[in-house]
Amino acid sequence: MPLSTADRSVLEPAIRRLNALRPLSPEARAALEYAMLEGLQRAGAGEDLISEGDPVDSVRIVLSGWLCRYKTLEDGRRQIVNFIFPGESCDSHAFLLSTMDHSIATLTPVVYAEIKRARFDSLLAADRSLAEAFLCEMLVNEAIQREWVINLGRRAALERVAHLFCEIFERLRPVGMVDGNSCAMPVTQTDLADATGLSVVHLNRTLQELRASGLIVLRDRTLVIRDIDALKSTALFSPSYLRLYRGGREHG
Amino acid sequence: MPLSTADRSVLEPAIRRLNALRPLSPEARAALEYAMLEGLQRAGAGEDLISEGDPVDSVRIVLSGWLCRYKTLEDGRRQIVNFIFPGESCDSHAFLLSTMDHSIATLTPVVYAEIKRARFDSLLAADRSLAEAFLCEMLVNEAIQREWVINLGRRAALERVAHLFCEIFERLRPVGMVDGNSCAMPVTQTDLADATGLSVVHLNRTLQELRASGLIVLRDRTLVIRDIDALKSTALFSPSYLRLYRGGREHG
DNA sequence: CGGCTGATTGATCCCGGTCAAATGAGGTGG
DNA sequence: CCACCTCATTTGACCGGGATCAATCAGCCG
């Protein structure tokens, strides 16, 4: 459903993030903000925003809430292949391939801006910085996807869960969604299991191990990182793939 | 080292592949061919074309040979996150992020075309079909990366290796690198293990299982698929993510 | 209160890792 | 041509991380 009124501040995560990837010209920023405000939408928790096989003809930019990309095997095994956080966009350029090869579900209530393909194309055509910002977003997304491959392929359960927490924390930070050493963690253990390729039972035991070693507190849908350095080192976490600092600006 | 002379036919895989993703205008095709011919390079087997942390300022389009993208953890664990086959490009737009977050190694001798960033940018700026073709390539690459996450997260060893073989076969087919039901497989079992997240020992035993059940023959660096349907079904392989057929052209 | 979903625990099993050694296949130098 | 080295493949034995199955517990809602 469209939002009738909204002030510009809901757009902040998206603008902040894109601007960190590529400094946006004031005109590009204004044009994008205008387009986003016109396409504001809400969705409840646990909805499929779009499913495998569905046609794509717009871009959605998430403004608040968590989503996940996932795929399901014929026999029901599910794998979450990525999370989508505020400021990130769902399907930048995906319409070039016409249909989705995976599904996107909301994990919490979500506010997002939907921009139709033609509109999006003309926004990007009008401003190079904007086009580059969205390209950078795709590139970072690819890098995250690669890191997930390593996580699943070569890290043990404890490292794997620790790594996921580090990544989530560092991805939420630049959009202002962490508070000191804690952040929201509005997902079930089943979701975390599906994201880490573990069974729910073993994920639960792994969480207990992380708690027992004093690395984290996870309660009431809130993650508190008690010892970030220790967590990063048990995760073998090295954040460069997230491009958090001066994301490639030196060539820009 | 640059190739002194070369006829246009070496470019065929790349042109064929890009053209399948987006029909290229004749002018775009000619301009791209010209740029590629000027930047032809060779590399031997087992070289790192580029390493994690290296600056990027060009695009490389592979014309023959196999490469892989990989990352290594501090303690030496290695994960191959993707293969790169003839017709595919290494780093389209990657220069936007300045540096590599992973490494690319040759698995065989390789011929590729290197195009400097500025040149590449102006090629894409001059022709929309070309820009879209490279965007599609990125999108397909992302989809493959996601499928690898599922492969490592939710498929058992046998399914996983079968899936990898299905994917390789289907990626090689459109560039004319399969011969009936067989294709080259110029990699060691260590490489296959690093790509599937298995140990070499277990990968070896998994191969034997695939051979014993009559699905494949793998000998002398050649893979023969004896029963493609059975292989696909043990792999739970569904090729839509590869966009092999009319890759998104209906919206183009 | 009953039903539902999510978190937790216990018991058992087996897939796949690890360690170690053997075998094979080139390649090279004497 | 053979001795030797290196690298890839294969095999054997053993172990343990994580899956599976099943039950219990804790909130939450109607």
Side-chain angles (χ1 to χ4, degrees), chain A residues 187-190 201 204-205 208 211 221:
Chain A
V187 298
T188 66
Q189 293 191 6
T190 302
V201 173
N204 179 281
R205 289 180 172 132
Q208 290 176 47
R211 286 191 267 244
R221 306 274 130 134

Side-chain angles (χ1 to χ4, degrees), chain A residues 138-183:
Chain A
M138 284 178 71
L139 289 167
V140 171
N141 217 47
E142 268 189 81
I144 291 171
Q145 219 57 86
R146 281 190 290 265
E147 192 65 33
W148 280 49
V149 171
I150 294 151
N151 209 27
L152 295 176
R154 289 301 182 213
R155 268 185 269 255
L158 189 75
E159 302 166 338
R160 215 183 279 184
V161 177
H163 191 277
L164 182 64
F165 285 155
C166 287
E167 181 184 302
I168 291 174
F169 194 76
E170 294 300 336
R171 283 170 72 179
L172 289 176
R173 193 208 295 277
V175 285
M177 308 212 39
V178 312
D179 175 18
N181 61 345
S182 74
C183 66

Side-chain angles (χ1 to χ4, degrees), chain A residues 165-237:
Chain A
F165 285 155
C166 287
E167 181 184 302
I168 291 174
F169 194 76
E170 294 300 336
R171 283 170 72 179
L172 289 176
R173 193 208 295 277
V175 285
M177 308 212 39
V178 312
D179 175 18
N181 61 345
S182 74
C183 66
M185 185 63 55
V187 298
T188 66
Q189 293 191 6
T190 302
D191 294 328
L192 292 175
D194 284 347
T196 49
L198 299 170
S199 68
V200 203
V201 173
H202 197 67
L203 177 99
N204 179 281
R205 289 180 172 132
T206 305
L207 285 180
Q208 290 176 47
E209 205 179 332
L210 284 171
R211 286 191 267 244
S213 44
L215 295 177
I216 65 160
V217 175
L218 179 55
R219 237 181 40 205
D220 304 329
R221 306 274 130 134
T222 300
L223 172 72
V224 181
I225 300 183
R226 306 218 66 140
D227 186 341
I228 183 79
D229 292 333
L231 189 67
K232 285 183 178 172
S233 96
T234 79
L236 300 162
F237 180 75

Side-chain angles (χ1 to χ4, degrees), chain B residues 70-107:
Chain B
Y70 71 94
K71 266 181 115 159
T72 311
L73 297 182
E74 309 155 20
D75 63 3
R77 280 175 278 179
R78 181 176 86 133
Q79 175 70 41
I80 291 180
V81 297
N82 209 341
F83 290 106
I84 305 176
F85 297 119
E88 301 181 357
S89 53
C90 282
D91 308 299
S92 150
H93 295 107
F95 41 67
L96 287 174
L97 295 179
S98 308
T99 58
M100 292 292 289
D101 64 272
H102 62 285
S103 306
I104 296 180
T106 59
L107 296 166

Side-chain angles (χ1 to χ4, degrees), chain A residues 119-128 130-131, chain B residues 128:
Chain A
R119 181 76 177 274
F120 185 71
D121 273 345
S122 66
L123 279 173
L124 297 205
D127 188 284
R128 185 169 178 76
L130 202 55
Chain B
R128 187 171 176 73

